[in-house]
mmCIF file of all heavy atoms in Angstrom:
data_model
loop_
_atom_site.group_PDB
_atom_site.id
_atom_site.type_symbol
_atom_site.label_atom_id
_atom_site.label_comp_id
_atom_site.label_asym_id
_atom_site.label_seq_id
_atom_site.Cartn_x
_atom_site.Cartn_y
_atom_site.Cartn_z
ATOM 1 N N GLU A 1413 0.206 2.398 0.026
ATOM 2 C CA GLU A 1413 0.919 3.676 -0.018
ATOM 3 C C GLU A 1413 1.546 3.970 1.338
ATOM 4 O O GLU A 1413 0.992 3.635 2.374
ATOM 5 C CB GLU A 1413 -0.052 4.797 -0.370
ATOM 6 C CG GLU A 1413 -0.474 4.795 -1.822
ATOM 7 C CD GLU A 1413 -1.379 5.972 -2.133
ATOM 8 O OE1 GLU A 1413 -2.297 6.222 -1.351
ATOM 9 O OE2 GLU A 1413 -1.171 6.627 -3.154
ATOM 10 N N LEU A 1417 2.660 10.079 1.400
ATOM 11 C CA LEU A 1417 2.518 10.103 -0.040
ATOM 12 C C LEU A 1417 1.079 10.351 -0.457
ATOM 13 O O LEU A 1417 0.782 10.370 -1.631
ATOM 14 C CB LEU A 1417 3.010 8.779 -0.644
ATOM 15 C CG LEU A 1417 4.509 8.519 -0.518
ATOM 16 C CD1 LEU A 1417 4.870 7.222 -1.205
ATOM 17 C CD2 LEU A 1417 5.323 9.650 -1.102
ATOM 18 N N LEU A 1419 -2.077 12.574 -1.235
ATOM 19 C CA LEU A 1419 -2.241 13.946 -1.652
ATOM 20 C C LEU A 1419 -3.033 14.719 -0.620
ATOM 21 O O LEU A 1419 -4.024 14.208 -0.086
ATOM 22 C CB LEU A 1419 -2.986 13.990 -2.983
ATOM 23 C CG LEU A 1419 -2.233 13.544 -4.231
ATOM 24 C CD1 LEU A 1419 -3.146 13.622 -5.425
ATOM 25 C CD2 LEU A 1419 -0.997 14.391 -4.441
ATOM 26 N N ASP A 1442 10.415 31.661 -14.020
ATOM 27 C CA ASP A 1442 9.776 32.858 -14.570
ATOM 28 C C ASP A 1442 8.483 32.565 -15.312
ATOM 29 O O ASP A 1442 7.901 33.439 -15.948
ATOM 30 C CB ASP A 1442 10.754 33.616 -15.480
ATOM 31 C CG ASP A 1442 11.246 32.771 -16.641
ATOM 32 O OD1 ASP A 1442 10.839 31.586 -16.740
ATOM 33 O OD2 ASP A 1442 12.036 33.281 -17.448
ATOM 34 N N TYR A 1443 8.026 31.319 -15.220
ATOM 35 C CA TYR A 1443 6.778 30.961 -15.873
ATOM 36 C C TYR A 1443 6.136 29.857 -15.056
ATOM 37 O O TYR A 1443 6.818 28.926 -14.623
ATOM 38 C CB TYR A 1443 7.070 30.515 -17.310
ATOM 39 C CG TYR A 1443 5.874 30.061 -18.104
ATOM 40 C CD1 TYR A 1443 4.815 30.924 -18.379
ATOM 41 C CD2 TYR A 1443 5.804 28.774 -18.607
ATOM 42 C CE1 TYR A 1443 3.729 30.519 -19.118
ATOM 43 C CE2 TYR A 1443 4.725 28.352 -19.348
ATOM 44 C CZ TYR A 1443 3.684 29.229 -19.605
ATOM 45 O OH TYR A 1443 2.606 28.823 -20.348
ATOM 46 N N ILE A 1445 2.466 27.349 -14.421
ATOM 47 C CA ILE A 1445 1.238 26.802 -15.013
ATOM 48 C C ILE A 1445 0.479 26.039 -13.940
ATOM 49 O O ILE A 1445 1.077 25.375 -13.090
ATOM 50 C CB ILE A 1445 1.564 25.818 -16.171
ATOM 51 C CG1 ILE A 1445 2.460 26.473 -17.219
ATOM 52 C CG2 ILE A 1445 0.287 25.305 -16.819
ATOM 53 C CD1 ILE A 1445 2.925 25.493 -18.286
ATOM 54 N N TYR A 1447 -2.324 22.967 -13.691
ATOM 55 C CA TYR A 1447 -2.936 21.883 -14.447
ATOM 56 C C TYR A 1447 -4.047 21.241 -13.618
ATOM 57 O O TYR A 1447 -3.991 21.206 -12.378
ATOM 58 C CB TYR A 1447 -1.915 20.792 -14.773
ATOM 59 C CG TYR A 1447 -0.943 21.151 -15.867
ATOM 60 C CD1 TYR A 1447 0.294 21.698 -15.568
ATOM 61 C CD2 TYR A 1447 -1.273 20.936 -17.198
ATOM 62 C CE1 TYR A 1447 1.195 22.011 -16.576
ATOM 63 C CE2 TYR A 1447 -0.374 21.255 -18.212
ATOM 64 C CZ TYR A 1447 0.851 21.791 -17.891
ATOM 65 O OH TYR A 1447 1.734 22.105 -18.893
ATOM 66 N N GLN A 1449 -6.050 17.521 -13.369
ATOM 67 C CA GLN A 1449 -5.990 16.132 -13.820
ATOM 68 C C GLN A 1449 -7.153 15.352 -13.241
ATOM 69 O O GLN A 1449 -7.232 15.131 -12.034
ATOM 70 C CB GLN A 1449 -4.665 15.479 -13.426
ATOM 71 C CG GLN A 1449 -4.473 14.102 -14.036
ATOM 72 C CD GLN A 1449 -3.108 13.518 -13.759
ATOM 73 O OE1 GLN A 1449 -2.408 13.942 -12.845
ATOM 74 N NE2 GLN A 1449 -2.700 12.518 -14.543
ATOM 75 N N GLY A 1452 -7.942 9.112 -14.324
ATOM 76 C CA GLY A 1452 -7.764 8.337 -15.543
ATOM 77 C C GLY A 1452 -7.399 9.141 -16.767
ATOM 78 O O GLY A 1452 -7.353 8.603 -17.877
ATOM 79 N N LYS A 1453 -7.127 10.435 -16.581
ATOM 80 C CA LYS A 1453 -6.788 11.284 -17.724
ATOM 81 C C LYS A 1453 -5.450 11.956 -17.524
ATOM 82 O O LYS A 1453 -4.923 12.021 -16.422
ATOM 83 C CB LYS A 1453 -7.877 12.351 -17.913
ATOM 84 C CG LYS A 1453 -9.244 11.784 -18.265
ATOM 85 C CD LYS A 1453 -10.224 12.907 -18.538
ATOM 86 C CE LYS A 1453 -11.583 12.354 -18.914
ATOM 87 N NZ LYS A 1453 -12.563 13.449 -19.159
ATOM 88 N N GLY A 1454 -4.926 12.480 -18.614
ATOM 89 C CA GLY A 1454 -3.709 13.259 -18.524
ATOM 90 C C GLY A 1454 -3.993 14.667 -18.041
ATOM 91 O O GLY A 1454 -5.133 15.123 -18.059
ATOM 92 N N PRO A 1455 -2.969 15.385 -17.560
ATOM 93 C CA PRO A 1455 -3.158 16.752 -17.083
ATOM 94 C C PRO A 1455 -3.628 17.685 -18.192
ATOM 95 O O PRO A 1455 -3.211 17.554 -19.339
ATOM 96 C CB PRO A 1455 -1.757 17.156 -16.603
ATOM 97 C CG PRO A 1455 -1.033 15.875 -16.383
ATOM 98 C CD PRO A 1455 -1.593 14.916 -17.379
ATOM 99 N N PHE A 1457 -4.124 21.821 -19.171
ATOM 100 C CA PHE A 1457 -3.766 23.208 -18.868
ATOM 101 C C PHE A 1457 -4.996 23.977 -18.397
ATOM 102 O O PHE A 1457 -6.076 23.878 -18.978
ATOM 103 C CB PHE A 1457 -3.212 23.844 -20.139
ATOM 104 C CG PHE A 1457 -2.971 25.314 -20.069
ATOM 105 C CD1 PHE A 1457 -1.745 25.804 -19.678
ATOM 106 C CD2 PHE A 1457 -3.971 26.212 -20.422
ATOM 107 C CE1 PHE A 1457 -1.510 27.169 -19.639
ATOM 108 C CE2 PHE A 1457 -3.748 27.571 -20.380
ATOM 109 C CZ PHE A 1457 -2.511 28.058 -19.987
ATOM 110 N N ARG A 1462 3.223 34.635 -16.041
ATOM 111 C CA ARG A 1462 4.658 34.915 -16.120
ATOM 112 C C ARG A 1462 5.076 35.715 -14.907
ATOM 113 O O ARG A 1462 4.251 36.360 -14.249
ATOM 114 C CB ARG A 1462 4.976 35.657 -17.419
ATOM 115 C CG ARG A 1462 4.612 34.833 -18.632
ATOM 116 C CD ARG A 1462 5.370 35.212 -19.891
ATOM 117 N NE ARG A 1462 4.992 34.288 -20.968
ATOM 118 C CZ ARG A 1462 5.594 33.124 -21.190
ATOM 119 N NH1 ARG A 1462 6.591 32.728 -20.441
ATOM 120 N NH2 ARG A 1462 5.202 32.356 -22.178
ATOM 121 N N PHE A 1500 -2.338 20.603 -9.909
ATOM 122 C CA PHE A 1500 -0.945 20.794 -9.539
ATOM 123 C C PHE A 1500 -0.332 21.934 -10.346
ATOM 124 O O PHE A 1500 -0.765 22.249 -11.454
ATOM 125 C CB PHE A 1500 -0.125 19.519 -9.651
ATOM 126 C CG PHE A 1500 -0.136 18.850 -10.991
ATOM 127 C CD1 PHE A 1500 0.812 19.186 -11.950
ATOM 128 C CD2 PHE A 1500 -1.057 17.875 -11.292
ATOM 129 C CE1 PHE A 1500 0.827 18.560 -13.173
ATOM 130 C CE2 PHE A 1500 -1.045 17.242 -12.514
ATOM 131 C CZ PHE A 1500 -0.106 17.588 -13.461
ATOM 132 N N ASN A 1504 8.688 26.840 -14.317
ATOM 133 C CA ASN A 1504 9.557 26.692 -15.474
ATOM 134 C C ASN A 1504 10.712 27.679 -15.358
ATOM 135 O O ASN A 1504 10.485 28.869 -15.193
ATOM 136 C CB ASN A 1504 8.730 26.965 -16.730
ATOM 137 C CG ASN A 1504 9.508 26.799 -18.021
ATOM 138 O OD1 ASN A 1504 9.195 27.455 -19.023
ATOM 139 N ND2 ASN A 1504 10.489 25.933 -18.051
ATOM 140 N N GLY A 1506 14.481 28.237 -17.426
ATOM 141 C CA GLY A 1506 15.284 27.723 -18.535
ATOM 142 C C GLY A 1506 14.504 26.668 -19.275
ATOM 143 O O GLY A 1506 13.374 26.882 -19.701
ATOM 144 N N GLN A 1507 15.104 25.503 -19.422
ATOM 145 C CA GLN A 1507 14.446 24.418 -20.136
ATOM 146 C C GLN A 1507 13.746 23.447 -19.190
ATOM 147 O O GLN A 1507 13.234 22.419 -19.618
ATOM 148 C CB GLN A 1507 15.479 23.646 -20.959
ATOM 149 C CG GLN A 1507 16.175 24.513 -21.988
ATOM 150 C CD GLN A 1507 17.318 23.773 -22.656
ATOM 151 O OE1 GLN A 1507 17.630 22.648 -22.299
ATOM 152 N NE2 GLN A 1507 17.954 24.403 -23.616
ATOM 153 N N PHE A 1509 11.029 22.061 -16.311
ATOM 154 C CA PHE A 1509 9.735 22.152 -15.644
ATOM 155 C C PHE A 1509 9.822 21.335 -14.367
ATOM 156 O O PHE A 1509 10.312 20.217 -14.377
ATOM 157 C CB PHE A 1509 8.632 21.550 -16.524
ATOM 158 C CG PHE A 1509 8.081 22.484 -17.541
ATOM 159 C CD1 PHE A 1509 8.606 22.522 -18.826
ATOM 160 C CD2 PHE A 1509 7.028 23.325 -17.227
ATOM 161 C CE1 PHE A 1509 8.088 23.388 -19.776
ATOM 162 C CE2 PHE A 1509 6.502 24.197 -18.183
ATOM 163 C CZ PHE A 1509 7.041 24.219 -19.450
ATOM 164 N N PHE A 1511 7.262 20.020 -11.289
ATOM 165 C CA PHE A 1511 5.843 19.898 -10.969
ATOM 166 C C PHE A 1511 5.645 19.657 -9.478
ATOM 167 O O PHE A 1511 6.387 18.889 -8.865
ATOM 168 C CB PHE A 1511 5.239 18.723 -11.744
ATOM 169 C CG PHE A 1511 5.242 18.927 -13.232
ATOM 170 C CD1 PHE A 1511 6.361 18.610 -13.987
ATOM 171 C CD2 PHE A 1511 4.133 19.440 -13.875
ATOM 172 C CE1 PHE A 1511 6.369 18.795 -15.363
ATOM 173 C CE2 PHE A 1511 4.132 19.629 -15.250
ATOM 174 C CZ PHE A 1511 5.251 19.313 -15.990
ATOM 175 N N GLY A 1512 4.638 20.284 -8.912
ATOM 176 C CA GLY A 1512 4.255 20.002 -7.543
ATOM 177 C C GLY A 1512 3.511 18.687 -7.456
ATOM 178 O O GLY A 1512 3.060 18.148 -8.470
ATOM 179 N N PRO A 1513 3.354 18.130 -6.240
ATOM 180 C CA PRO A 1513 2.703 16.823 -6.087
ATOM 181 C C PRO A 1513 1.197 16.866 -6.295
ATOM 182 O O PRO A 1513 0.585 15.844 -6.576
ATOM 183 C CB PRO A 1513 3.051 16.424 -4.644
ATOM 184 C CG PRO A 1513 3.284 17.722 -3.947
ATOM 185 C CD PRO A 1513 3.864 18.651 -4.971
ATOM 186 N N ARG B 37 -3.535 2.491 -22.705
ATOM 187 C CA ARG B 37 -3.971 3.125 -21.463
ATOM 188 C C ARG B 37 -3.523 2.316 -20.255
ATOM 189 O O ARG B 37 -3.152 2.865 -19.223
ATOM 190 C CB ARG B 37 -5.498 3.270 -21.444
ATOM 191 C CG ARG B 37 -6.052 4.210 -22.499
ATOM 192 C CD ARG B 37 -5.535 5.631 -22.336
ATOM 193 N NE ARG B 37 -5.811 6.193 -21.026
ATOM 194 C CZ ARG B 37 -6.947 6.796 -20.703
ATOM 195 N NH1 ARG B 37 -7.916 6.904 -21.577
ATOM 196 N NH2 ARG B 37 -7.120 7.288 -19.495
ATOM 197 N N TYR B 63 7.382 11.560 -18.764
ATOM 198 C CA TYR B 63 7.365 11.681 -17.305
ATOM 199 C C TYR B 63 6.803 10.399 -16.712
ATOM 200 O O TYR B 63 6.033 9.679 -17.352
ATOM 201 C CB TYR B 63 6.434 12.811 -16.863
ATOM 202 C CG TYR B 63 6.837 14.197 -17.283
ATOM 203 C CD1 TYR B 63 6.370 14.740 -18.479
ATOM 204 C CD2 TYR B 63 7.653 14.976 -16.471
ATOM 205 C CE1 TYR B 63 6.713 16.034 -18.852
ATOM 206 C CE2 TYR B 63 8.003 16.266 -16.835
ATOM 207 C CZ TYR B 63 7.526 16.791 -18.026
ATOM 208 O OH TYR B 63 7.869 18.059 -18.389
ATOM 209 N N GLN B 65 4.556 9.450 -13.138
ATOM 210 C CA GLN B 65 3.772 10.111 -12.101
ATOM 211 C C GLN B 65 3.456 9.093 -11.022
ATOM 212 O O GLN B 65 2.807 8.083 -11.280
ATOM 213 C CB GLN B 65 2.477 10.682 -12.686
ATOM 214 C CG GLN B 65 1.653 11.475 -11.699
ATOM 215 C CD GLN B 65 0.401 12.050 -12.333
ATOM 216 O OE1 GLN B 65 -0.204 11.448 -13.217
ATOM 217 N NE2 GLN B 65 0.000 13.226 -11.889
ATOM 218 N N PRO B 67 2.163 8.627 -6.763
ATOM 219 C CA PRO B 67 1.384 9.343 -5.731
ATOM 220 C C PRO B 67 2.269 10.186 -4.817
ATOM 221 O O PRO B 67 3.245 9.690 -4.253
ATOM 222 C CB PRO B 67 0.705 8.214 -4.971
ATOM 223 C CG PRO B 67 0.621 7.089 -5.932
ATOM 224 C CD PRO B 67 1.854 7.185 -6.775
ATOM 225 N N GLY B 68 1.918 11.463 -4.686
ATOM 226 C CA GLY B 68 2.608 12.347 -3.765
ATOM 227 C C GLY B 68 3.959 12.852 -4.231
ATOM 228 O O GLY B 68 4.586 13.662 -3.549
ATOM 229 N N LEU B 69 4.405 12.398 -5.415
ATOM 230 C CA LEU B 69 5.736 12.809 -5.884
ATOM 231 C C LEU B 69 5.684 13.784 -7.054
ATOM 232 O O LEU B 69 6.697 14.327 -7.452
ATOM 233 C CB LEU B 69 6.549 11.582 -6.305
ATOM 234 C CG LEU B 69 6.910 10.602 -5.190
ATOM 235 C CD1 LEU B 69 7.710 9.433 -5.747
ATOM 236 C CD2 LEU B 69 7.709 11.305 -4.091
ATOM 237 N N GLY B 70 4.544 14.002 -7.622
ATOM 238 C CA GLY B 70 4.479 14.852 -8.796
ATOM 239 C C GLY B 70 5.055 14.166 -10.016
ATOM 240 O O GLY B 70 5.473 13.013 -9.965
ATOM 241 N N LEU B 71 5.106 14.894 -11.105
ATOM 242 C CA LEU B 71 5.673 14.358 -12.336
ATOM 243 C C LEU B 71 7.187 14.468 -12.288
ATOM 244 O O LEU B 71 7.734 15.516 -11.933
ATOM 245 C CB LEU B 71 5.157 15.146 -13.543
ATOM 246 C CG LEU B 71 3.827 14.726 -14.140
ATOM 247 C CD1 LEU B 71 2.685 15.053 -13.196
ATOM 248 C CD2 LEU B 71 3.607 15.398 -15.473
ATOM 249 N N PHE B 76 13.786 13.733 -22.477
ATOM 250 C CA PHE B 76 13.121 14.641 -23.387
ATOM 251 C C PHE B 76 13.899 14.747 -24.689
ATOM 252 O O PHE B 76 15.057 14.306 -24.777
ATOM 253 C CB PHE B 76 12.878 16.016 -22.748
ATOM 254 C CG PHE B 76 14.115 16.708 -22.239
ATOM 255 C CD1 PHE B 76 14.718 17.717 -22.981
ATOM 256 C CD2 PHE B 76 14.642 16.385 -21.000
ATOM 257 C CE1 PHE B 76 15.832 18.379 -22.497
ATOM 258 C CE2 PHE B 76 15.767 17.050 -20.509
ATOM 259 C CZ PHE B 76 16.359 18.045 -21.255
ATOM 260 N N TYR B 78 14.374 17.474 -28.173
ATOM 261 C CA TYR B 78 14.078 18.745 -28.822
ATOM 262 C C TYR B 78 14.108 18.654 -30.344
ATOM 263 O O TYR B 78 13.902 19.648 -31.031
ATOM 264 C CB TYR B 78 15.045 19.827 -28.360
ATOM 265 C CG TYR B 78 14.821 20.245 -26.922
ATOM 266 C CD1 TYR B 78 15.894 20.411 -26.062
ATOM 267 C CD2 TYR B 78 13.540 20.451 -26.426
ATOM 268 C CE1 TYR B 78 15.695 20.793 -24.737
ATOM 269 C CE2 TYR B 78 13.332 20.820 -25.114
ATOM 270 C CZ TYR B 78 14.418 20.995 -24.276
ATOM 271 O OH TYR B 78 14.220 21.362 -22.974
ATOM 272 N N GLU B 84 17.776 13.839 -24.526
ATOM 273 C CA GLU B 84 18.529 14.288 -23.358
ATOM 274 C C GLU B 84 17.938 13.638 -22.114
ATOM 275 O O GLU B 84 16.705 13.492 -22.015
ATOM 276 C CB GLU B 84 18.474 15.812 -23.223
ATOM 277 C CG GLU B 84 19.313 16.537 -24.258
ATOM 278 C CD GLU B 84 19.488 18.004 -23.932
ATOM 279 O OE1 GLU B 84 19.519 18.360 -22.739
ATOM 280 O OE2 GLU B 84 19.587 18.803 -24.881
ATOM 281 N N LEU B 118 3.433 9.500 -18.533
ATOM 282 C CA LEU B 118 2.800 10.576 -19.288
ATOM 283 C C LEU B 118 3.766 11.136 -20.314
ATOM 284 O O LEU B 118 4.916 11.429 -20.003
ATOM 285 C CB LEU B 118 2.364 11.693 -18.343
ATOM 286 C CG LEU B 118 1.170 11.388 -17.441
ATOM 287 C CD1 LEU B 118 1.102 12.360 -16.294
ATOM 288 C CD2 LEU B 118 -0.120 11.427 -18.241
ATOM 289 N N ARG B 126 12.349 25.921 -27.228
ATOM 290 C CA ARG B 126 12.540 24.654 -26.572
ATOM 291 C C ARG B 126 12.268 24.747 -25.082
ATOM 292 O O ARG B 126 12.758 25.611 -24.389
ATOM 293 C CB ARG B 126 13.934 24.092 -26.835
ATOM 294 C CG ARG B 126 15.098 24.985 -26.414
ATOM 295 C CD ARG B 126 16.401 24.224 -26.360
ATOM 296 N NE ARG B 126 16.754 23.672 -27.642
ATOM 297 C CZ ARG B 126 17.822 22.905 -27.842
ATOM 298 N NH1 ARG B 126 18.622 22.613 -26.836
ATOM 299 N NH2 ARG B 126 18.092 22.416 -29.022
ATOM 300 N N GLY B 127 11.433 23.825 -24.641
ATOM 301 C CA GLY B 127 11.172 23.667 -23.221
ATOM 302 C C GLY B 127 10.262 24.707 -22.612
ATOM 303 O O GLY B 127 9.964 24.640 -21.440
ATOM 304 N N ARG B 128 9.798 25.673 -23.382
ATOM 305 C CA ARG B 128 8.993 26.742 -22.793
ATOM 306 C C ARG B 128 7.531 26.586 -23.174
ATOM 307 O O ARG B 128 7.202 25.976 -24.168
ATOM 308 C CB ARG B 128 9.496 28.108 -23.307
ATOM 309 C CG ARG B 128 10.962 28.335 -23.081
ATOM 310 C CD ARG B 128 11.280 28.623 -21.655
ATOM 311 N NE ARG B 128 10.749 29.912 -21.251
ATOM 312 C CZ ARG B 128 10.872 30.399 -20.020
ATOM 313 N NH1 ARG B 128 11.454 29.684 -19.098
ATOM 314 N NH2 ARG B 128 10.382 31.564 -19.706
ATOM 315 N N GLY B 129 6.701 27.186 -22.407
ATOM 316 C CA GLY B 129 5.295 27.215 -22.775
ATOM 317 C C GLY B 129 4.527 26.008 -22.277
ATOM 318 O O GLY B 129 5.069 25.086 -21.686
ATOM 319 N N GLU B 130 3.239 26.066 -22.545
ATOM 320 C CA GLU B 130 2.333 25.032 -22.076
ATOM 321 C C GLU B 130 2.739 23.669 -22.604
ATOM 322 O O GLU B 130 3.085 23.509 -23.775
ATOM 323 C CB GLU B 130 0.928 25.355 -22.567
ATOM 324 C CG GLU B 130 -0.110 24.308 -22.202
ATOM 325 C CD GLU B 130 -1.414 24.536 -22.903
ATOM 326 O OE1 GLU B 130 -1.601 25.629 -23.473
ATOM 327 O OE2 GLU B 130 -2.251 23.624 -22.910
ATOM 328 N N GLN B 131 2.679 22.673 -21.742
ATOM 329 C CA GLN B 131 2.916 21.298 -22.143
ATOM 330 C C GLN B 131 1.570 20.630 -22.393
ATOM 331 O O GLN B 131 0.672 20.697 -21.559
ATOM 332 C CB GLN B 131 3.677 20.544 -21.049
ATOM 333 C CG GLN B 131 5.059 21.124 -20.781
ATOM 334 C CD GLN B 131 6.068 20.081 -20.362
ATOM 335 O OE1 GLN B 131 5.721 19.057 -19.801
ATOM 336 N NE2 GLN B 131 7.335 20.330 -20.643
ATOM 337 N N PHE B 133 -0.387 17.248 -22.716
ATOM 338 C CA PHE B 133 -0.174 15.891 -22.234
ATOM 339 C C PHE B 133 -1.066 14.873 -22.937
ATOM 340 O O PHE B 133 -2.197 15.172 -23.316
ATOM 341 C CB PHE B 133 -0.466 15.819 -20.727
ATOM 342 C CG PHE B 133 0.613 16.411 -19.873
ATOM 343 C CD1 PHE B 133 0.586 17.750 -19.527
ATOM 344 C CD2 PHE B 133 1.666 15.629 -19.422
ATOM 345 C CE1 PHE B 133 1.582 18.303 -18.736
ATOM 346 C CE2 PHE B 133 2.663 16.168 -18.628
ATOM 347 C CZ PHE B 133 2.621 17.507 -18.291
ATOM 348 N N GLY B 134 -0.543 13.663 -23.045
ATOM 349 C CA GLY B 134 -1.358 12.536 -23.460
ATOM 350 C C GLY B 134 -2.178 12.021 -22.291
ATOM 351 O O GLY B 134 -2.035 12.505 -21.165
ATOM 352 N N PRO B 135 -3.014 11.005 -22.515
ATOM 353 C CA PRO B 135 -3.891 10.492 -21.467
ATOM 354 C C PRO B 135 -3.181 9.625 -20.434
ATOM 355 O O PRO B 135 -3.741 9.340 -19.379
ATOM 356 C CB PRO B 135 -4.916 9.662 -22.234
ATOM 357 C CG PRO B 135 -4.196 9.239 -23.468
ATOM 358 C CD PRO B 135 -3.272 10.364 -23.813
ATOM 359 N N GLY B 136 -1.949 9.218 -20.732
ATOM 360 C CA GLY B 136 -1.194 8.403 -19.784
ATOM 361 C C GLY B 136 -1.311 6.922 -20.047
ATOM 362 O O GLY B 136 -2.306 6.441 -20.605
#
Side-chain angles (χ1 to χ4, degrees):
Chain A
E1413 286 183 314
L1417 293 183
L1419 288 178
D1442 59 359
Y1443 178 62
I1445 306 174
Y1447 285 94
Q1449 188 174 19
K1453 296 184 179 179
F1457 172 91
R1462 299 203 176 273
F1500 56 90
N1504 182 209
Q1507 300 172 356
F1509 276 93
F1511 295 85
Chain B
R37 295 299 303 275
Y63 295 92
Q65 184 179 34
L69 295 180
L71 275 69
F76 57 101
Y78 290 136
E84 287 192 32
L118 288 163
R126 58 165 61 183
R128 306 286 292 179
E130 177 190 347
Q131 297 212 333
F133 284 90

